[in-house]
Amino acid sequence: MSAEPGDVRAAVERTARAVMTGNLAQVMADLAPEAMAQLMQLATGAQGLAPSQLPSIDGFEVEEEAASPEEARYRVRFRSSMGSVTVATTWRPVVGQWKVVEIGLAGFEPAEGGGTPPGR
């Protein structure tokens, strides 16, 4: 079974929805081991800006940056009452399924009124 290029956006949206709803099992299933290590570093070193640390995520937006049969790059912006956090992800087919192989913090926008990121 091979991963189809069109399936990657569905995988990105599934993972973003899992982050939003707190479905940790799905998030972990969609991460390759190297991305899991990067996510752990992001959660501890991002001054509270990791999506998992946002108070009640109320939505997300997915933006494709590049896609091919071998690799796809997406940015996912998670929104909450605190503001929004944008995460950059790189996806590759792993054993026939699209998996996150790279993840990093791409930005933070405070909510109107100048919210302070948690942990600061």
Side-chain angles (χ1 to χ4, degrees):
M1 177 176 125
S2 66
E4 295 294 322
D7 295 342
V8 67
R9 184 168 184 106
V12 173
E13 290 178 359
R14 177 187 64 228
T15 304
R17 195 170 300 103
V19 169
M20 185 175 85
T21 61
N23 184 346
L24 187 58
Q26 183 64 61
V27 173
M28 292 185 64
D30 289 337
L31 295 174
E34 58 270 32
M36 179 65 73
Q38 293 167 359
L39 183 63
M40 299 302 265
Q41 289 177 335
L42 179 66
T44 59
Q47 300 290 333
L49 296 179
S52 62
Q53 296 171 315
L54 285 176
S56 61
I57 297 171
D58 57 31
F60 63 88
E61 297 167 13
V62 172
E63 177 186 344
E64 180 181 307
E65 293 190 310
S68 73
E70 297 84 31
E71 181 176 283
R73 289 191 307 273
Y74 282 82
R75 287 184 181 249
V76 182
R77 191 180 108 177
F78 294 96
R79 296 183 312 270
S80 79
S81 59
M82 184 186 82
S84 66
V85 170
T86 302
V87 177
T89 59
T90 301
W91 295 72
R92 290 191 190 116
V94 177
V95 192
Q97 295 181 342
W98 286 100
K99 300 258 185 191
V100 178
V101 295
E102 292 179 25
I103 187 167
L105 184 64
F108 168 72
E109 296 173 33
E112 292 279 326
T116 301
R120 294 233 173 146

